Amino acid sequence: MPSSPERSAPRRLGPDQRRAQLLRVGLQLVTSEPLESVTAPAVAEAAGVSKGLVFHYFPTQRELQAAIARAAADQLIGLFARADPDLSQPERFASALDAFIDFVEQQPASYLAIARVSGADELLNAVFEDFRDAVVDLIALGFGRAAPTPRERLLLRGWVAMVEELILQWVATRAISRRELTEYLQASASELLSSAFGQEPPALRGG
Amino acid sequence: MPSSPERSAPRRLGPDQRRAQLLRVGLQLVTSEPLESVTAPAVAEAAGVSKGLVFHYFPTQRELQAAIARAAADQLIGLFARADPDLSQPERFASALDAFIDFVEQQPASYLAIARVSGADELLNAVFEDFRDAVVDLIALGFGRAAPTPRERLLLRGWVAMVEELILQWVATRAISRRELTEYLQASASELLSSAFGQEPPALRGG
């Protein structure tokens, strides 16, 4: 069994720290394995703790997996939101798109955990819905809409779904260059987001 | 227990007929229930046969559920492909879009079975991938591309993902009118498909 920093961590952790440790271990596993394989025994083994301890914090396997998917979603949302505040809106938009592509390229299994197992389970479905809603909120905020209308939310969710599929398919097929992918996504944002917000296409390609 | 035509069907069916009957029953159940609830016992009860008989045709529950999801996908693909050959291409395109919206509106659970449980299972993932690929083939064919390039496939899959999300969200929120939904999807097709095929926007609105 490979050693890991998590395994050599002190055994005496407070409940919050222990829960956070188990989630970190789960997040690490889901970077390379489908969420279905990230079971309580797998997390217990990788963390060097008993299965019972994992079940103490996550009473069912679904709760464990949903918490891991949510942690992955939070991580990605954090990357989107982390752009330098000194950047212009088009630059921040481009930076968030890049972060999205990087994340899916580097750990497609983590993204699939958020985006592709949702219908199977209410908890996982909530993770997926919350993730998409958070992305929509971020985009709307970038365009100066703190409270997007239902119509704006709907159209933005459609665009986000397209972005997701294009990145996943691009990682799988590399049918176009990364540069073409980015330009296509930015052009579609110009067209579709401007349609959603009922204004002239914002210049998303930078200043 | 409500009676149904399936229950009063003669018990002596050949293997192909019996398999088809079980799938029809499953398809009926999945019009209103999540795929996860459409278990072998549920299908057995609704079909008035033993659980063992269901397992004889579908050795695992996942195989049963994947077969039902595939039957739903085939049904939807059939609706897309069924447009009157005398219609113009824009009219056939509009007719397929309408069929898509109708299907999701009338039986969202069936569509979720195809589109939202895929990552959880290899068999279900194959149903989902095959469905999206078939839709891409149909669209490309409509535009005179019998063998779309990898680049065209990629861009079309992105558009299909957007259409799926917009219809699902529209059914859930009714944030815009059906007319606006249809017009938005057609306008996005004009923009994005013409980009995919590297030609002037085709007139998708008819005429």
Side-chain angles (χ1 to χ4, degrees), chain A residues 34 36 62 112 115-121 125 128-129 132-133 150-151 154-159 161-163 165-167 169-170 173 175-176 180-181 184 188 191-193 195-196, chain B residues 34 36 62 112 115-121 125 128-129 132-133 150-151 154-159 161-163 165-167 169-170 173 175-176 180-181 184 188 191-193 195-196:
Chain A
E36 292 296 298
R62 280 298 189 194
L112 291 173
R116 281 281 200 276
V117 293
S118 56
D121 182 89
N125 205 37
F128 174 74
E129 290 291 324
R132 285 234 166 133
D133 282 342
R151 176 179 176 279
L154 174 74
L155 300 184
L156 284 176
R157 281 203 47 150
W159 182 78
M162 185 181 74
V163 173
E165 179 77 1
L166 283 171
I167 297 177
Q169 289 296 313
W170 176 76
T173 66
I176 57 180
E180 190 185 356
L181 174 68
Y184 184 83
S188 72
E191 288 158 5
L192 301 179
L193 299 182
S195 172
Chain B
E36 292 296 298
R62 279 300 189 194
L112 291 173
R116 281 279 201 277
V117 292
S118 55
D121 182 90
N125 206 37
F128 173 74
E129 291 291 324
R132 285 234 166 134
D133 283 343
R151 177 179 176 278
L154 174 74
L155 301 183
L156 284 176
R157 282 202 45 150
W159 183 78
M162 184 179 74
V163 173
E165 179 77 359
L166 282 172
I167 297 177
Q169 290 296 313
W170 176 76
T173 65
I176 58 179
E180 191 185 353
L181 174 68
Y184 184 82
S188 72
E191 287 158 4
L192 301 178
L193 299 182
S195 172

Coordinates of all heavy atoms in Angstrom, one line a residue, chain A residues 34 36 62 112 115-121 125 128-129 132-133 150-151 154-159 161-163 165-167 169-170 173 175-176 180-181 184 188 191-193 195-196, chain B residues 34 36 62 112 115-121 125 128-129 132-133 150-151 154-159 161-163 165-167 169-170 173 175-176 180-181 184 188 191-193 195-196:
Chain A
P34 N -13.7 6.4 -10.9 CA -15.2 6.8 -10.9 C -15.7 6.9 -9.5 O -15.3 6.1 -8.6 CB -15.9 5.7 -11.7 CG -14.8 4.8 -12.3 CD -13.5 5.2 -11.6
E36 N -18.3 5.8 -8.2 CA -18.9 4.6 -7.8 C -17.9 3.7 -7.1 O -18.2 2.9 -6.3 CB -19.5 3.8 -9.0 CG -20.8 4.5 -9.5 CD -21.9 4.5 -8.5 OE1 -22.4 3.5 -8.1 OE2 -22.3 5.7 -8.2
R62 N -23.8 6.5 0.0 CA -24.3 7.6 -0.8 C -23.9 9.0 -0.2 O -23.6 9.9 -0.9 CB -25.8 7.5 -1.0 CG -26.2 6.5 -2.1 CD -25.6 6.9 -3.4 NE -26.1 6.1 -4.5 CZ -25.6 6.0 -5.7 NH1 -24.6 6.7 -6.1 NH2 -26.2 5.3 -6.7
L112 N -16.7 14.2 -13.7 CA -17.8 13.2 -14.0 C -18.5 13.0 -12.7 O -19.8 12.7 -12.7 CB -17.2 11.9 -14.6 CG -16.7 12.1 -16.0 CD1 -16.0 10.8 -16.5 CD2 -17.8 12.5 -17.0
A115 N -21.0 15.8 -12.5 CA -21.9 16.0 -13.7 C -22.6 14.8 -14.3 O -23.5 15.0 -15.0 CB -21.1 16.7 -14.8
R116 N -22.1 13.6 -13.9 CA -22.7 12.5 -14.7 C -23.3 11.4 -13.9 O -23.6 10.3 -14.4 CB -21.6 11.9 -15.5 CG -21.2 12.6 -16.8 CD -22.3 12.3 -17.9 NE -21.7 12.6 -19.2 CZ -21.8 13.8 -19.8 NH1 -22.2 14.9 -19.1 NH2 -21.3 14.0 -21.0
V117 N -23.5 11.6 -12.6 CA -24.1 10.5 -11.8 C -25.4 11.0 -11.1 O -25.9 10.4 -10.3 CB -23.2 9.9 -10.8 CG1 -22.1 9.2 -11.5 CG2 -22.6 10.9 -9.9
S118 N -25.8 12.2 -11.5 CA -26.8 12.9 -10.7 C -28.1 12.3 -10.6 O -28.7 12.2 -9.6 CB -26.9 14.3 -11.3 OG -27.3 14.2 -12.7
G119 N -28.7 11.8 -11.8 CA -30.0 11.3 -11.8 C -30.2 10.1 -10.9 O -31.3 9.7 -10.5
A120 N -29.1 9.4 -10.6 CA -29.2 8.1 -9.9 C -29.6 8.3 -8.4 O -30.0 7.4 -7.8 CB -27.9 7.4 -10.0
D121 N -29.5 9.5 -7.9 CA -29.6 9.6 -6.5 C -29.9 11.1 -6.1 O -29.4 12.0 -6.7 CB -28.2 9.3 -5.9 CG -28.3 9.4 -4.4 OD1 -28.6 8.3 -3.7 OD2 -28.0 10.4 -3.8
N125 N -27.9 14.4 -7.1 CA -28.6 15.3 -7.9 C -28.6 16.7 -7.4 O -28.4 17.7 -8.1 CB -30.1 14.8 -8.1 CG -30.7 15.3 -9.4 OD1 -30.0 15.4 -10.4 ND2 -31.9 15.7 -9.3
F128 N -25.2 18.2 -8.1 CA -25.2 18.7 -9.5 C -26.0 20.0 -9.8 O -25.5 20.9 -10.4 CB -25.7 17.5 -10.4 CG -25.9 17.9 -11.9 CD1 -24.8 18.0 -12.7 CD2 -27.1 18.1 -12.4 CE1 -24.9 18.3 -14.0 CE2 -27.3 18.4 -13.8 CZ -26.1 18.5 -14.6
E129 N -27.2 20.0 -9.2 CA -28.0 21.2 -9.4 C -27.4 22.4 -8.7 O -27.4 23.5 -9.3 CB -29.4 20.9 -8.8 CG -30.3 19.9 -9.6 CD -30.7 20.5 -11.0 OE1 -30.9 21.7 -11.1 OE2 -30.7 19.7 -11.9
R132 N -24.4 23.7 -10.9 CA -24.8 24.4 -12.1 C -25.4 25.8 -11.7 O -25.1 26.8 -12.3 CB -25.9 23.7 -12.9 CG -25.3 22.5 -13.6 CD -25.6 22.6 -15.1 NE -24.7 21.7 -15.9 CZ -25.1 20.8 -16.8 NH1 -26.4 20.8 -17.1 NH2 -24.3 20.1 -17.5
D133 N -26.2 25.8 -10.6 CA -26.7 27.1 -10.1 C -25.6 28.1 -9.7 O -25.7 29.2 -10.0 CB -27.7 26.9 -9.0 CG -29.1 26.4 -9.5 OD1 -29.4 26.5 -10.7 OD2 -29.9 25.8 -8.7
P150 N -35.5 34.4 -13.9 CA -35.6 33.0 -14.3 C -35.2 32.7 -15.7 O -34.6 31.7 -16.1 CB -37.1 32.7 -14.0 CG -37.5 33.6 -12.9 CD -36.6 34.9 -13.2
R151 N -35.6 33.7 -16.6 CA -35.2 33.5 -18.0 C -33.7 33.5 -18.2 O -33.2 32.7 -18.9 CB -35.9 34.7 -18.8 CG -35.5 34.7 -20.3 CD -36.2 35.8 -21.0 NE -35.7 35.8 -22.4 CZ -34.5 36.4 -22.8 NH1 -33.7 36.9 -21.9 NH2 -34.2 36.3 -24.1
L154 N -32.2 30.2 -16.9 CA -32.5 29.1 -17.9 C -31.5 29.2 -19.0 O -30.9 28.1 -19.3 CB -33.9 29.3 -18.4 CG -34.4 28.3 -19.5 CD1 -34.6 27.0 -19.0 CD2 -35.6 28.8 -20.2
L155 N -31.3 30.3 -19.7 CA -30.5 30.4 -20.8 C -29.0 30.2 -20.4 O -28.2 29.5 -21.2 CB -30.6 31.7 -21.5 CG -32.1 32.0 -22.0 CD1 -32.1 33.3 -22.8 CD2 -32.6 30.9 -22.9
L156 N -28.6 30.7 -19.3 CA -27.2 30.5 -18.8 C -27.0 29.0 -18.5 O -25.9 28.4 -18.8 CB -26.9 31.3 -17.6 CG -26.7 32.8 -17.8 CD1 -26.5 33.5 -16.5 CD2 -25.5 33.0 -18.7
R157 N -28.0 28.3 -17.9 CA -27.8 26.9 -17.7 C -27.6 26.1 -19.0 O -26.8 25.2 -19.0 CB -28.9 26.3 -16.8 CG -28.8 26.7 -15.4 CD -29.5 25.8 -14.4 NE -29.3 24.4 -14.6 CZ -29.4 23.5 -13.6 NH1 -29.5 23.9 -12.4 NH2 -29.2 22.2 -13.9
G158 N -28.3 26.5 -20.0 CA -28.1 25.8 -21.3 C -26.7 26.0 -21.8 O -26.0 25.1 -22.2
W159 N -26.2 27.2 -21.7 CA -24.8 27.5 -22.1 C -23.8 26.7 -21.3 O -22.8 26.1 -21.8 CB -24.5 29.0 -22.1 CG -23.1 29.4 -22.6 CD1 -22.8 29.4 -23.9 CD2 -22.0 29.6 -21.8 NE1 -21.5 29.7 -24.0 CE2 -20.9 29.9 -22.7 CE3 -21.7 29.7 -20.5 CZ2 -19.6 30.2 -22.3 CZ3 -20.4 30.0 -20.0 CH2 -19.4 30.2 -21.0
A161 N -24.2 23.9 -19.8 CA -24.3 22.5 -20.2 C -23.5 22.3 -21.5 O -22.8 21.2 -21.7 CB -25.7 22.1 -20.4
M162 N -23.6 23.2 -22.4 CA -22.8 23.1 -23.7 C -21.3 23.1 -23.4 O -20.5 22.3 -23.9 CB -23.2 24.2 -24.7 CG -22.5 24.0 -26.0 SD -22.9 25.3 -27.2 CE -22.0 26.7 -26.5
V163 N -20.9 24.1 -22.5 CA -19.5 24.2 -22.2 C -19.0 22.9 -21.6 O -17.9 22.3 -21.9 CB -19.3 25.3 -21.2 CG1 -17.8 25.4 -20.7 CG2 -19.6 26.7 -21.9
E165 N -20.2 19.8 -21.9 CA -20.1 18.7 -22.9 C -18.9 18.9 -23.8 O -18.2 18.0 -24.1 CB -21.4 18.6 -23.7 CG -21.4 17.6 -24.7 CD -21.6 16.2 -24.2 OE1 -21.8 16.0 -22.9 OE2 -21.6 15.2 -25.0
L166 N -18.7 20.2 -24.2 CA -17.6 20.4 -25.2 C -16.2 20.1 -24.5 O -15.4 19.5 -25.1 CB -17.6 21.9 -25.7 CG -18.7 22.1 -26.7 CD1 -18.8 23.6 -27.0 CD2 -18.3 21.4 -28.0
I167 N -16.1 20.5 -23.2 CA -14.8 20.2 -22.6 C -14.6 18.7 -22.4 O -13.6 18.2 -22.7 CB -14.7 21.0 -21.2 CG1 -14.7 22.5 -21.5 CG2 -13.4 20.6 -20.5 CD1 -14.7 23.3 -20.2
Q169 N -15.9 16.2 -24.1 CA -15.7 15.6 -25.4 C -14.3 16.0 -25.9 O -13.7 15.2 -26.6 CB -16.8 16.0 -26.4 CG -18.1 15.4 -26.1 CD -18.1 13.9 -26.2 OE1 -17.6 13.3 -27.1 NE2 -18.7 13.2 -25.2
W170 N -13.9 17.2 -25.7 CA -12.6 17.6 -26.2 C -11.5 16.8 -25.5 O -10.6 16.3 -26.1 CB -12.4 19.1 -25.9 CG -11.0 19.6 -26.3 CD1 -10.6 19.8 -27.5 CD2 -10.0 19.8 -25.4 NE1 -9.3 20.2 -27.5 CE2 -8.9 20.2 -26.2 CE3 -9.8 19.8 -24.0 CZ2 -7.6 20.6 -25.6 CZ3 -8.6 20.1 -23.4 CH2 -7.5 20.5 -24.2
T173 N -11.6 13.4 -27.1 CA -11.3 13.2 -28.5 C -10.2 14.1 -29.0 O -9.6 13.8 -30.1 CB -12.5 13.5 -29.4 OG1 -12.8 14.9 -29.2 CG2 -13.7 12.7 -28.9
A175 N -10.4 16.6 -30.7 CA -10.8 16.8 -32.1 C -10.4 18.2 -32.7 O -10.3 18.4 -33.9 CB -12.3 16.5 -32.3
I176 N -10.2 19.1 -31.8 CA -9.7 20.5 -32.2 C -8.6 20.9 -31.2 O -8.4 20.2 -30.2 CB -10.9 21.5 -32.1 CG1 -11.5 21.6 -30.7 CG2 -12.0 21.2 -33.2 CD1 -12.7 22.6 -30.6
E180 N -8.7 26.5 -30.4 CA -10.0 26.6 -31.1 C -11.1 26.4 -30.1 O -12.2 27.0 -30.2 CB -10.1 25.6 -32.2 CG -11.3 25.9 -33.1 CD -11.6 24.9 -34.2 OE1 -10.8 23.9 -34.4 OE2 -12.6 25.0 -34.9
L181 N -10.9 25.4 -29.1 CA -12.0 25.2 -28.1 C -12.3 26.5 -27.4 O -13.4 26.9 -27.2 CB -11.5 24.1 -27.2 CG -12.4 23.8 -26.0 CD1 -13.7 23.2 -26.4 CD2 -11.7 22.9 -24.9
Y184 N -14.0 29.1 -29.5 CA -15.4 28.7 -29.8 C -16.3 29.0 -28.6 O -17.4 29.5 -28.7 CB -15.5 27.2 -30.2 CG -16.8 26.7 -30.6 CD1 -17.3 26.9 -31.9 CD2 -17.7 26.1 -29.7 CE1 -18.6 26.5 -32.2 CE2 -18.9 25.6 -30.0 CZ -19.4 25.8 -31.3 OH -20.6 25.4 -31.7
S188 N -19.3 31.6 -28.5 CA -20.7 31.2 -28.1 C -21.2 32.0 -26.9 O -22.4 32.3 -26.8 CB -20.7 29.7 -27.8 OG -20.1 29.4 -26.6
E191 N -22.4 35.3 -28.1 CA -23.7 35.2 -28.8 C -24.8 34.9 -27.8 O -25.9 35.6 -27.8 CB -23.7 34.1 -29.9 CG -22.9 34.6 -31.1 CD -22.4 33.4 -31.9 OE1 -22.8 32.2 -31.6 OE2 -21.6 33.6 -32.9
L192 N -24.6 33.8 -27.0 CA -25.7 33.3 -26.2 C -25.9 34.1 -25.0 O -27.1 34.4 -24.6 CB -25.5 31.9 -25.9 CG -25.3 30.9 -27.1 CD1 -25.0 29.5 -26.6 CD2 -26.5 31.0 -27.9
L193 N -24.8 34.6 -24.3 CA -25.0 35.4 -23.1 C -25.6 36.7 -23.4 O -26.5 37.2 -22.7 CB -23.7 35.5 -22.4 CG -23.1 34.2 -21.9 CD1 -21.8 34.5 -21.1 CD2 -24.0 33.4 -21.0
S195 N -27.6 37.2 -25.8 CA -29.0 37.0 -26.0 C -29.8 36.8 -24.7 O -30.9 37.4 -24.5 CB -29.2 35.7 -26.8 OG -30.5 35.3 -26.9
A196 N -29.1 36.1 -23.7 CA -29.8 35.9 -22.4 C -30.0 37.3 -21.7 O -31.0 37.5 -21.1 CB -28.9 35.0 -21.5
Chain B
P34 N -38.3 7.4 -11.5 CA -36.9 7.4 -11.8 C -36.4 6.0 -12.2 O -36.9 5.0 -11.6 CB -36.2 7.9 -10.5 CG -37.3 8.3 -9.6 CD -38.6 7.9 -10.1
E36 N -34.0 4.4 -11.3 CA -33.5 3.6 -10.1 C -34.7 2.8 -9.4 O -34.4 1.8 -8.8 CB -32.9 4.5 -9.1 CG -31.6 5.2 -9.5 CD -30.5 4.1 -9.7 OE1 -30.1 3.5 -8.7 OE2 -30.0 4.0 -10.8
R62 N -29.0 -3.9 -13.4 CA -28.4 -2.9 -14.2 C -28.7 -3.2 -15.7 O -28.9 -2.3 -16.5 CB -26.9 -2.9 -14.0 CG -26.5 -2.0 -12.8 CD -27.0 -0.6 -12.9 NE -26.4 0.2 -11.9 CZ -26.9 1.4 -11.6 NH1 -27.9 2.0 -12.2 NH2 -26.3 2.1 -10.6
L112 N -34.7 11.6 -18.3 CA -33.7 11.5 -17.3 C -33.0 10.2 -17.2 O -31.8 10.1 -16.9 CB -34.3 11.9 -15.9 CG -34.7 13.4 -15.8 CD1 -35.4 13.6 -14.5 CD2 -33.5 14.3 -15.9
A115 N -30.4 10.4 -19.9 CA -29.4 11.5 -19.9 C -28.8 11.8 -18.5 O -27.8 12.5 -18.4 CB -30.1 12.8 -20.3
R116 N -29.3 11.3 -17.4 CA -28.8 11.7 -16.1 C -28.3 10.6 -15.2 O -28.0 10.9 -14.0 CB -29.9 12.5 -15.4 CG -30.1 13.9 -15.9 CD -29.1 14.9 -15.3 NE -29.4 16.2 -15.3 CZ -29.3 17.0 -16.4 NH1 -28.8 16.6 -17.5 NH2 -29.7 18.3 -16.3
V117 N -28.1 9.4 -15.6 CA -27.6 8.4 -14.7 C -26.4 7.7 -15.3 O -26.0 6.7 -14.8 CB -28.7 7.3 -14.4 CG1 -29.8 7.9 -13.6 CG2 -29.2 6.7 -15.6
S118 N -25.8 8.4 -16.3 CA -24.9 7.7 -17.1 C -23.6 7.3 -16.4 O -23.1 6.2 -16.5 CB -24.6 8.5 -18.4 OG -24.2 9.8 -18.0
G119 N -23.0 8.3 -15.7 CA -21.7 8.1 -15.2 C -21.6 7.0 -14.1 O -20.6 6.5 -13.8
A120 N -22.8 6.6 -13.6 CA -22.8 5.6 -12.5 C -22.5 4.2 -13.0 O -22.3 3.4 -12.2 CB -24.2 5.7 -11.8
D121 N -22.6 4.0 -14.3 CA -22.6 2.6 -14.7 C -22.1 2.5 -16.2 O -22.6 3.3 -17.0 CB -24.0 2.0 -14.5 CG -24.0 0.6 -14.9 OD1 -23.8 -0.3 -14.1 OD2 -24.3 0.3 -16.1
N125 N -23.9 4.3 -19.2 CA -23.0 5.3 -19.9 C -23.0 5.0 -21.4 O -23.1 6.0 -22.2 CB -21.6 5.2 -19.4 CG -20.9 6.6 -19.5 OD1 -21.5 7.6 -19.4 ND2 -19.6 6.5 -19.9
F128 N -26.2 6.4 -23.0 CA -26.2 7.8 -23.1 C -25.3 8.2 -24.3 O -25.7 9.1 -25.1 CB -25.6 8.4 -21.8 CG -25.4 9.9 -21.8 CD1 -26.4 10.8 -21.8 CD2 -24.1 10.4 -21.8 CE1 -26.2 12.1 -21.8 CE2 -23.8 11.7 -21.8 CZ -24.9 12.6 -21.8
E129 N -24.1 7.7 -24.3 CA -23.1 8.0 -25.4 C -23.7 7.7 -26.8 O -23.6 8.5 -27.7 CB -21.8 7.3 -25.2 CG -21.0 7.8 -24.0 CD -20.5 9.2 -24.2 OE1 -20.1 9.6 -25.3 OE2 -20.4 10.0 -23.2
R132 N -26.5 10.2 -27.7 CA -25.9 11.5 -28.2 C -25.3 11.4 -29.6 O -25.5 12.2 -30.4 CB -24.9 12.1 -27.2 CG -25.6 12.6 -25.9 CD -25.1 14.1 -25.7 NE -26.0 14.7 -24.7 CZ -25.6 15.4 -23.6 NH1 -24.3 15.6 -23.4 NH2 -26.5 15.9 -22.8
D133 N -24.6 10.3 -29.8 CA -24.0 10.1 -31.1 C -25.0 9.9 -32.2 O -24.8 10.4 -33.3 CB -23.0 8.8 -31.1 CG -21.7 9.1 -30.4 OD1 -21.4 10.3 -30.2 OD2 -21.0 8.2 -30.0
P150 N -14.5 14.6 -36.9 CA -14.4 14.7 -35.4 C -14.7 16.1 -34.9 O -15.4 16.2 -33.8 CB -13.0 14.2 -35.1 CG -12.6 13.4 -36.2 CD -13.3 13.9 -37.4
R151 N -14.3 17.1 -35.6 CA -14.6 18.5 -35.1 C -16.1 18.8 -35.2 O -16.6 19.4 -34.3 CB -13.8 19.4 -36.0 CG -14.1 20.9 -35.7 CD -13.3 21.8 -36.7 NE -13.6 23.2 -36.4 CZ -14.7 23.8 -36.9 NH1 -15.5 23.1 -37.7 NH2 -15.0 25.0 -36.6
L154 N -17.8 17.0 -32.4 CA -17.6 17.6 -31.1 C -18.5 18.8 -30.9 O -19.2 18.9 -29.9 CB -16.1 18.1 -31.0 CG -15.7 18.9 -29.8 CD1 -15.6 18.1 -28.6 CD2 -14.4 19.6 -30.1
L155 N -18.6 19.7 -31.9 CA -19.4 20.9 -31.8 C -20.9 20.6 -31.7 O -21.6 21.2 -31.0 CB -19.0 21.9 -32.9 CG -17.6 22.3 -33.0 CD1 -17.4 23.3 -34.1 CD2 -17.1 22.9 -31.7
L156 N -21.3 19.6 -32.5 CA -22.7 19.2 -32.5 C -23.1 18.6 -31.1 O -24.2 18.9 -30.6 CB -23.0 18.2 -33.6 CG -23.1 18.8 -35.0 CD1 -23.3 17.7 -36.0 CD2 -24.2 19.8 -35.1
R157 N -22.2 17.8 -30.5 CA -22.5 17.3 -29.2 C -22.7 18.4 -28.2 O -23.5 18.3 -27.3 CB -21.4 16.3 -28.7 CG -21.6 14.9 -29.4 CD -21.1 13.7 -28.7 NE -21.3 13.7 -27.3 CZ -21.4 12.5 -26.6 NH1 -21.3 11.4 -27.3 NH2 -21.6 12.5 -25.3
G158 N -21.9 19.4 -28.3 CA -22.0 20.6 -27.4 C -23.4 21.2 -27.5 O -24.1 21.5 -26.6
W159 N -23.8 21.4 -28.8 CA -25.1 22.0 -29.0 C -26.3 21.1 -28.5 O -27.2 21.6 -27.8 CB -25.3 22.2 -30.5 CG -26.6 22.9 -30.8 CD1 -26.9 24.3 -30.6 CD2 -27.8 22.3 -31.3 NE1 -28.2 24.5 -31.0 CE2 -28.8 23.4 -31.4 CE3 -28.2 21.0 -31.7 CZ2 -30.1 23.1 -31.9 CZ3 -29.4 20.8 -32.1 CH2 -30.4 21.8 -32.2
A161 N -26.1 19.0 -26.0 CA -26.1 19.1 -24.6 C -26.9 20.4 -24.1 O -27.6 20.4 -23.1 CB -24.7 19.1 -24.0
M162 N -26.7 21.5 -24.8 CA -27.4 22.7 -24.5 C -28.9 22.5 -24.7 O -29.7 22.9 -23.8 CB -26.8 23.9 -25.3 CG -27.5 25.2 -24.9 SD -26.9 26.6 -25.9 CE -27.7 26.3 -27.4
V163 N -29.2 21.9 -25.8 CA -30.7 21.7 -26.1 C -31.3 20.9 -25.0 O -32.4 21.2 -24.4 CB -30.9 21.0 -27.4 CG1 -32.3 20.7 -27.7 CG2 -30.4 21.9 -28.6
E165 N -30.3 20.5 -21.8 CA -30.4 21.2 -20.6 C -31.6 22.2 -20.6 O -32.3 22.4 -19.7 CB -29.1 21.9 -20.2 CG -29.1 22.7 -19.0 CD -29.0 21.8 -17.7 OE1 -29.0 20.6 -17.8 OE2 -29.0 22.4 -16.6
L166 N -31.6 22.9 -21.8 CA -32.7 24.0 -21.9 C -34.1 23.4 -21.8 O -34.9 23.9 -21.1 CB -32.5 24.8 -23.2 CG -31.4 25.8 -23.1 CD1 -31.1 26.4 -24.5 CD2 -31.7 26.9 -22.2
I167 N -34.3 22.2 -22.4 CA -35.6 21.6 -22.4 C -35.9 21.1 -21.0 O -37.0 21.4 -20.5 CB -35.7 20.5 -23.4 CG1 -35.6 21.0 -24.9 CG2 -37.1 19.8 -23.3 CD1 -35.6 20.0 -26.0
Q169 N -34.7 22.2 -18.1 CA -34.9 23.3 -17.2 C -36.2 24.0 -17.6 O -36.9 24.6 -16.7 CB -33.7 24.3 -17.4 CG -32.4 23.8 -16.8 CD -32.5 23.6 -15.3 OE1 -33.0 24.4 -14.5 NE2 -32.1 22.4 -14.8
W170 N -36.5 24.1 -18.8 CA -37.8 24.7 -19.2 C -39.0 24.0 -18.6 O -39.9 24.5 -18.1 CB -37.9 24.8 -20.8 CG -39.2 25.4 -21.2 CD1 -39.5 26.7 -21.2 CD2 -40.3 24.6 -21.7 NE1 -40.8 26.8 -21.7 CE2 -41.3 25.6 -22.0 CE3 -40.5 23.3 -22.0 CZ2 -42.5 25.2 -22.5 CZ3 -41.7 22.9 -22.5 CH2 -42.7 23.8 -22.8
T173 N -39.1 24.8 -14.9 CA -39.3 26.2 -14.5 C -40.3 27.0 -15.3 O -40.8 27.9 -14.8 CB -38.0 27.0 -14.6 OG1 -37.6 27.1 -16.0 CG2 -36.8 26.3 -13.8
A175 N -39.7 29.1 -17.4 CA -39.3 30.5 -17.2 C -39.5 31.3 -18.5 O -39.5 32.6 -18.4 CB -37.8 30.5 -16.9
I176 N -39.7 30.7 -19.6 CA -40.1 31.4 -20.9 C -41.2 30.6 -21.5 O -41.5 29.5 -21.1 CB -38.8 31.5 -21.8 CG1 -38.3 30.1 -22.1 CG2 -37.7 32.3 -21.2 CD1 -37.1 30.1 -23.1
E180 N -40.8 31.0 -27.2 CA -39.4 31.6 -27.1 C -38.3 30.5 -27.0 O -37.3 30.7 -27.6 CB -39.3 32.5 -25.8 CG -38.1 33.3 -25.9 CD -37.8 34.2 -24.6 OE1 -38.6 34.3 -23.7 OE2 -36.7 34.8 -24.6
L181 N -38.7 29.4 -26.3 CA -37.7 28.3 -26.2 C -37.4 27.8 -27.6 O -36.2 27.7 -28.0 CB -38.3 27.2 -25.4 CG -37.5 25.9 -25.3 CD1 -36.2 26.1 -24.5 CD2 -38.3 24.7 -24.7
Y184 N -35.3 30.3 -29.6 CA -33.9 30.4 -29.0 C -33.1 29.2 -29.5 O -32.0 29.3 -30.0 CB -34.0 30.4 -27.5 CG -32.6 30.6 -26.9 CD1 -32.1 31.9 -26.8 CD2 -31.9 29.5 -26.4 CE1 -30.8 32.1 -26.2 CE2 -30.6 29.7 -25.8 CZ -30.1 31.0 -25.7 OH -28.9 31.2 -25.2
S188 N -29.9 29.4 -32.0 CA -28.6 28.9 -31.5 C -28.1 27.9 -32.5 O -26.9 27.8 -32.8 CB -28.7 28.3 -30.1 OG -29.4 27.1 -30.1
E191 N -26.6 29.7 -35.4 CA -25.3 30.2 -35.2 C -24.2 29.1 -35.0 O -23.1 29.1 -35.6 CB -25.3 31.0 -33.9 CG -26.0 32.4 -34.1 CD -26.5 33.0 -32.7 OE1 -26.3 32.4 -31.7 OE2 -27.2 34.0 -32.8
L192 N -24.6 28.1 -34.1 CA -23.6 27.1 -33.7 C -23.4 26.1 -34.8 O -22.2 25.7 -35.1 CB -23.9 26.5 -32.4 CG -24.1 27.5 -31.3 CD1 -24.5 26.8 -30.0 CD2 -22.8 28.2 -31.0
L193 N -24.4 25.6 -35.4 CA -24.3 24.6 -36.4 C -23.6 25.2 -37.7 O -22.7 24.5 -38.3 CB -25.6 24.0 -36.9 CG -26.4 23.3 -35.7 CD1 -27.7 22.7 -36.3 CD2 -25.6 22.2 -35.1
S195 N -21.4 27.4 -37.6 CA -20.0 27.4 -37.1 C -19.3 26.0 -37.3 O -18.2 25.9 -37.8 CB -19.9 28.0 -35.7 OG -18.5 27.9 -35.2
A196 N -20.1 25.0 -36.8 CA -19.6 23.7 -36.9 C -19.3 23.3 -38.3 O -18.3 22.6 -38.7 CB -20.6 22.7 -36.2

